[in-house]
Amino acid sequence: QVQLVESGGGLVQPGGSLRLSCVASGSILSIDTAGWYRQGPGKMRQLVATISNYGTINYSDSVKGRFTISTDNAKNTVYLQMNNLKVEDTGVYYCNADIWSMGSPKARSYWGQGTQVTVSS
């Protein structure tokens, strides 16, 4: 059984910073692509950033230059450093990863439960 658990959300003022973490646990063999998505109030879930096991990184235009995605493969953890936060960054942030696990013939996509980020003065 593979689980993703996010942490690091909270309330921050505009211009502030937060660092989100997502830890994958279970019978993990390897992680292919990992990423962060967010769902703002009344909006659909949207991509924020992804990183592949080759190090290829992709950001949505709205966060380029402000957010940084990174991984610690030894800890099966993906991070999202968020700087210069804006009110429109508010939402529930979800971690997603394509994971090869023991006994599975192919990688499966897993989601975390989400962590709330609120940017408000």
Side-chain angles (χ1 to χ4, degrees):
Q1 185 77 11
V2 173
Q3 287 186 321
L4 300 181
V5 178
E6 302 103 331
S7 62
L11 173 64
V12 63
Q13 293 185 341
S17 298
L18 285 175
R19 188 193 195 204
L20 305 183
S21 300
C22 172
V23 180
S25 63
S27 302
I28 298 169
L29 294 176
S30 65
I31 300 175
D32 287 352
T33 300
W36 290 93
Y37 294 73
R38 70 184 177 197
Q39 188 165 11
K43 298 180 180 179
M44 297 184 65
R45 192 174 300 186
Q46 296 178 322
L47 178 146
V48 175
T50 60
I51 183 168
S52 77
N53 55 348
Y54 297 105
T56 302
I57 293 175
N58 179 45
Y59 294 104
S60 69
D61 289 342
S62 62
V63 307
K64 282 181 182 177
R66 300 187 297 122
F67 290 12
T68 302
I69 189 171
S70 62
T71 59
D72 184 333
N73 294 328
K75 296 181 179 180
N76 288 331
T77 301
V78 58
Y79 303 98
L80 186 68
Q81 177 66 43
M82 305 186 294
N83 298 328
N84 190 21
L85 282 159
K86 303 177 180 180
V87 172
E88 50 264 42
D89 294 319
T90 294
V92 180
Y93 282 69
Y94 296 91
C95 176
N96 170 259
D98 295 331
I99 296 175
W100 291 85
S101 61
M102 293 182 64
S104 177
K106 60 181 181 179
R108 289 182 56 194
S109 180
Y110 294 88
W111 290 88
Q113 82 288 351
T115 184
Q116 176 71 44
V117 172
T118 302
V119 185
S120 174
S121 55

